[in-house]
Amino acid sequence: MRRTLQTSRVRLGVAKILFLVIFLVVGGRAFQLQVLQGDKLMRLGQRQHLKEWTVLPRRGAVVDRAGEPLALSLEAQSVYARPQRLQNSARAGRDLAGILKINPAELKRKLSAAKSFVWIKRQIAPGEARQIQALNSEGIGMFYEPRRYYPQGQLAGQVIGFVGRDSEGLEGLELRYNDYIRGETGSSVAERDALGRRVLVEGVEGLQIPPGGDIHLTLDTTLQHLAEKELEASITKYRAKAGVAIAVEPRTGEILALANYPTFNPNNYSKESAEHRRNRAVTDSFEPGSTFKTILAAAALEEGIVDKEDLFFCEEGKYRYAGRIIHDTHPYGWLPFHKILQVSSNIGFTKVADKLNKERFFKYIEKFGFGQVTGVDMTGEVPGLLRRPETWAEIDLATHAFGQGLSATPLQMAMAYAAIANGGFLMRPYVVKRAMSPKGEVLMENQPHVVRRVISEKTARSLASMLKEVTDEGGTGTMASVEGFEVAGKTGTAQKVDLVNGGYDARKRVASFVGFAPADDPRLVLMVLVDEPQVNVYGGVVAAPIFRNIARGALRHLGIAAKTPALIPAPVADTEIPLRRLPKRNSQTIVDAGATPDFLGLSLREAVEKARKLNLRVKMHGNGYVVKQSPGPGGRWHDNGVLVLNLQG
Amino acid sequence: MREALAVDKWICFAVVALLAMGLTMVLSTSYLYSQERFADGTYFFRKQLIALGVGLVGLVVCSFMPAATLRRLAYPLLACTFLALILVLIPGVGIMRGGARRWLALPGFAFQPAELAKLAMVFYLAHSMARKQEKIKSFSLGVLPHLMIAGALLGVLLLQPDFGTALILAVVLYLMLFIAGARLPHLLGTALMALPVLIYVMLTAEYRVRRLMTFMDPWRDPSSSGFQVIQSLIAFGSGQFWGRGLGESRQKLFYLPEAHTDFVYSVIGEEMGLLGALIVLALFSVILMRGLRLTAKIEEPFQQYLAFGLTVLLGLQGLIHMSVVMGLMPTKGLVLPFISYGGSAMVVNLAEVGILLGLSRRRL
């Protein structure tokens, strides 16, 4: 008995030592993990805690020159459900299906899933969010997620571009000015749990992500609307493939409107093809055709080798030059130089070019900015194709004279004409006036920038008066004339190069008209280009009327007085142009009884409020933001006195 | 009254301190989880409070039970345990959670017979070894019967399957045989013979093989089987010296599986740092060392063996839980006594403490 007890004591001692060793090992392991490897393990943890979930900064807005929003960042709500917490999932399903218009069967499957968290719908409209808020249902909730919204839809879509899911600008101004608009990044990480949801840990919520600043464009929404509408109408009428219309302020180089067809709505950028996204005004170059004769005329006048009244023999429509026959559409005999331009005689211009010589001609082509990018603050600009005179064959002097054998973007063409309009200065065009900080300070401002003087003011004036004749009786561009104003410009009808067979494709044409008004004090340069019109192909028929319609509305909108006041412009059919710029959104000014106030871009609630304040009868369609109103801003009231608003969102 | 309080103050203090930490950690680790599952953050916490109350009553009752009464309970307890362990295997009676049938549905709560098995086995072994004290040197009379009864108990536990509890019971069995004076060749020999069985059992269950591989190289595939160990190491290590602070664990946000039960020590390490981890370790060593000291003081064999068995039972559970969490042992799914969430374990553990305290009375 005693011996047993002895063994027991020894064995107890052994057990004690064994346990002490284990305690030391465990304690040592704790020291190893927490002190020796603590940093490493902590970093490993942070990698998974902080990964993926980034809090995106709120992007700044893109507004037009009057503050009209073209791109906004909304805090769109996303709806989720916690199926296990739903009190009455059948009723919740019915309610949600009704509000969000989603398939009830799929919703039922989601709500009855054995999950603690499911997304119901991402980025819903504000109206839907309010309704869901009103349900106040346990187990249904919403998170804020930033969402880019383009209240004007397709308006200037290719210029503005679009933003990807991670709030990075992918095209257009959204890309070009991403650094200003996006807001600061980097520190914008939040902790997340293992299910990938954001965790509201102290310190993270307080983290202020600096939002992006707004950018103010030179674009004028009203002109943009007008340009797009007129362009689309004509393109539809002539069954053309594509088209561009650009309005530029000649003295500054500010782009007032830039319309592309086909149109692109950045609100659903992922569904639109690249064909629609392209900003053809800068990304595509075309053979200019006869509009290029003006460049030759400018060079010849500036070099003093011709005078307005110098006579040229136009060979009765057929002229052999460098082994080729050059034709005119109508045969002419002796014509003064200004008439050659008015009727756009190829033969006349061949003779002028021959007199000038190719080196001098080329110098002016370059001085007018061809073959180089304009430097506009848009993405994807191409310089166009220009061959050096050393490589020209003899015939090339003639073809360049009437705008073949080189290519230019519509914007290059517009800027060349702007140089004639403003007295001889090639300006660098721009579409963003200034970029603001989130606090409202100006971070960057684009000032008018003279690239170079191209021609003297005397030459410019002389050329402008010649171009005026083009729209007069007997010119090729009479359809571009605007009642009450003198319009200077030039038509162009270019054949397209046949990419398959070489040479020119007889059926494919590019019709254009580029000019400015008023001719003696130009305030607006307008370039219109229609690609592959079908019904009629001539610039004077297809493009000139677009020019006229846009110019007429634009001049009135810009408040430029007609030269002949007796001739009061008749109301333009189905074009509602405000007589003057009306107060912008949020303005409470009561507008004069004659004109309709501007509701575009307002939210449903803001629109209702404004209508109540102004005591207007309003009819609304849809949800979200006002994208269309009838009558348009500043337009005349309908007889029934009701304002119709179309909303989208 | 003085008589009633004349128990081991050290054990008392350690258990109270562990219970206090335990309640804090259950609230901290289960809050988000139960918020997620039951939309009520304190659901687990309140259940744990009830278990604690019941357990404390049990502790007091047990501490006043005379040794003779305890000894008479040995066989009935063993019989009840077997019954419960067999019942729990029957589908419909036993509740299945996470691939194992471990719970018996009783009115109002679910009970884990495995917890009872730990107590029952220590009782049975203490009683039987005390009875066969002189024959303990004999293999057939002193060692084999205990191996067979305990083996049967382990067998039904493995059917659940509950490998972790079976392992603890096996270690307790050998430690008690060792203390009771069994010959070392008998112990080593049977242990060697059990090894092939152990390996067979390990390898037949695919998840155990995976756990073993994971244990050997947890970083091999961080996305799947190594996940639990890695998450546990990340949690424990990122506490560093001072810890993130109470309630500040990141890893409990569903990165750690069962943060409130099987991995509660990781969260202690993360929130309270090396300091907190070592305090818990020290408190367990206090229970163990005081329990062993008490064992040495007891002359009467049944009480001595009982004290030893209960002491190592509590200490081992703690040590194994901590080792698993720190990657020193393959993952097992063992709770940390007094701290982890779990009603059955809480009640049984406190009853064990009560018995230990009862044994310590009048001996200090």
Side-chain angles (χ1 to χ4, degrees), chain A residues 139-219:
Chain A
I140 304 284
M142 287 179 284
F143 278 140
Y144 274 109
E145 291 188 302
R147 174 192 168 194
R148 199 63 166 162
Y149 177 64
Y150 302 89
Q152 311 268 21
Q154 62 174 43
L155 195 77
Q158 296 93 342
V159 176
I160 295 163
F162 57 92
V163 175
R165 271 213 169 242
D166 50 357
S167 194
E168 287 291 348
L170 294 183
E171 261 182 35
L173 295 177
E174 295 273 30
L175 170 62
R176 176 70 182 243
Y177 286 88
N178 194 44
D179 291 349
Y180 291 103
I181 311 174
R182 190 177 191 276
E184 273 174 46
T185 53
S187 60
S188 53
V189 279
E191 309 226 9
R192 56 164 198 164
D193 66 17
L195 309 178
R197 294 166 307 180
R198 183 164 153 197
V199 182
L200 310 181
V201 186
E202 201 191 342
V204 174
E205 273 304 273
L207 185 69
Q208 285 295 314
I209 310 293
D214 296 352
I215 56 171
H216 294 246
L217 306 188
T218 59
L219 292 186

Side-chain angles (χ1 to χ4, degrees), chain A residues 1 4-5 8-9 11-12 14-16 18-20 22-23 25-27 29-31 33-35 38-39 41-42 44-45 48-49 82 84-85 116 138 191-195 197 199 201, chain B residues 35-36 39 175 178-179 181-182 184 219 231 233-234 236-238 240 244 250-251 253-255 269 273-274 277-278 281 284-285 288-289 292 295-296 304 308 312 316 319 322-323 326 328:
Chain A
M1 181 73 202
T4 322
L5 211 67
S8 175
R9 279 201 195 290
R11 289 193 172 187
L12 213 55
V14 170
K16 218 175 212 171
L18 181 76
F19 276 113
L20 274 175
I22 297 174
F23 274 114
V25 169
V26 172
R29 175 70 169 169
F31 181 80
L33 286 178
Q34 297 187 296
V35 177
D39 276 333
L41 290 167
M42 180 116 179
L44 272 172
Q48 65 184 10
H49 302 152
R82 293 165 180 263
Q84 288 164 343
R85 287 205 205 167
S116 53
E138 173 80 24
E191 309 226 9
R192 56 164 198 164
D193 66 17
L195 309 178
R197 294 166 307 180
V199 182
V201 186
Chain B
Q35 181 74 38
E36 196 66 35
L175 280 172
F178 176 70
I179 288 299
L184 289 179
W219 306 98
Q231 294 306 331
L233 291 182
I234 286 173
F236 195 83
S238 54
Q240 302 192 337
R244 286 184 190 269
R250 299 293 183 273
Q251 287 291 97
L253 302 170
F254 314 105
Y255 292 100
L274 183 65
L278 288 185
L281 186 67
F284 271 98
S285 76
L288 203 94
M289 290 306 145
L292 292 181
T295 307
Q304 190 190 29
F308 179 78
V312 296
L316 270 177
L319 283 171
M322 291 185 249
S323 305
M326 291 191 283
L328 289 172

Side-chain angles (χ1 to χ4, degrees), chain A residues 302 364 367-368 419 422-427 450-460:
Chain A
E302 180 73 9
Y364 283 89
K367 279 179 92 174
F368 270 107
N422 67 23
F425 297 100
L426 181 66
M427 304 300 292
V450 178
V451 179
R452 68 182 75 90
R453 179 177 266 288
V454 185
I455 47 173
S456 68
E457 186 162 359
K458 186 170 153 283
T459 305

Side-chain angles (χ1 to χ4, degrees), chain A residues 4, chain B residues 71 75 121-136 141-143 145-147 150 172-182 187 301-302 305-306 308-309:
Chain A
T4 322
Chain B
R71 195 162 182 175
Y75 284 116
M121 198 186 75
V122 171
F123 262 68
Y124 156 73
L125 287 176
H127 167 68
S128 171
M129 285 172 184
R131 203 159 57 96
K132 297 176 177 168
Q133 214 183 353
E134 282 79 40
K135 301 163 194 154
I136 199 78
L141 296 176
V143 176
H146 300 127
L147 287 183
V172 171
L173 166 69
Y174 274 85
L175 280 172
M176 287 183 75
L177 284 170
F178 176 70
I179 288 299
L187 296 180
F302 169 71
Y305 298 153
L306 190 62
F308 179 78

Side-chain angles (χ1 to χ4, degrees), chain A residues 260-468:
Chain A
N260 280 283
Y261 186 91
T263 57
F264 162 68
N265 184 343
N267 284 318
N268 24 318
Y269 68 90
S270 54
K271 293 187 198 96
E272 303 242 22
S273 69
E275 187 72 5
H276 286 233
R277 292 207 300 259
R278 212 161 66 230
N279 183 8
R280 289 157 205 270
V282 296
T283 61
D284 288 21
S285 61
F286 301 86
E287 281 206 355
S290 299
T291 53
F292 201 69
K293 287 171 180 159
T294 309
I295 307 304
L296 173 57
L301 284 174
E302 180 73 9
E303 291 290 315
I305 62 144
V306 289
D307 188 78
K308 257 179 98 168
E309 301 298 335
D310 285 359
L311 289 172
F312 289 86
F313 183 59
C314 290
E315 310 281 350
E316 299 301 338
K318 259 187 181 181
Y319 177 50
R320 193 170 185 88
Y321 181 82
R324 299 261 295 270
I325 308 285
I326 292 165
H327 297 270
D328 274 339
T329 35
H330 302 285
Y332 302 104
W334 288 93
L335 284 180
F337 182 45
H338 62 97
K339 278 280 178 196
I340 290 178
L341 186 67
Q342 190 195 21
V343 300
S344 198
S345 162
N346 291 341
I347 295 165
F349 272 100
T350 305
K351 291 188 167 180
V352 173
D354 195 56
K355 209 171 165 190
L356 180 65
N357 85 34
K358 62 180 182 181
E359 281 78 19
R360 277 194 290 187
F361 185 15
F362 186 80
K363 188 176 91 187
Y364 283 89
I365 294 176
E366 279 204 309
K367 279 179 92 174
F368 270 107
F370 295 98
Q372 313 131 40
V373 290
T374 64
V376 72
D377 49 350
M378 294 193 276
T379 50
E381 193 186 11
V382 298
L385 291 172
L386 190 59
R387 288 184 292 131
R388 301 210 54 86
E390 301 87 73
T391 67
W392 291 8
E394 207 180 338
I395 186 69
D396 284 334
L397 179 62
T399 55
H400 277 74
F402 39 86
Q404 290 182 0
L406 80 160
S407 77
T409 64
L411 185 61
Q412 279 175 332
M413 214 61 210
M415 295 321 290
Y417 273 72
I420 297 162
N422 67 23
F425 297 100
L426 181 66
M427 304 300 292
R428 182 163 70 202
Y430 56 96
V431 73
V432 171
K433 213 175 185 123
R434 63 184 82 90
M436 316 291 283
S437 79
K439 291 188 194 110
E441 306 138 340
V442 176
L443 292 181
M444 189 279 307
E445 185 151 27
N446 274 326
Q447 302 287 352
H449 175 86
V450 178
V451 179
R452 68 182 75 90
R453 179 177 266 288
V454 185
I455 47 173
S456 68
E457 186 162 359
K458 186 170 153 283
T459 305
R461 286 197 182 285
S462 164
L463 195 54
S465 71
M466 285 167 68
L467 287 170
K468 205 163 67 183

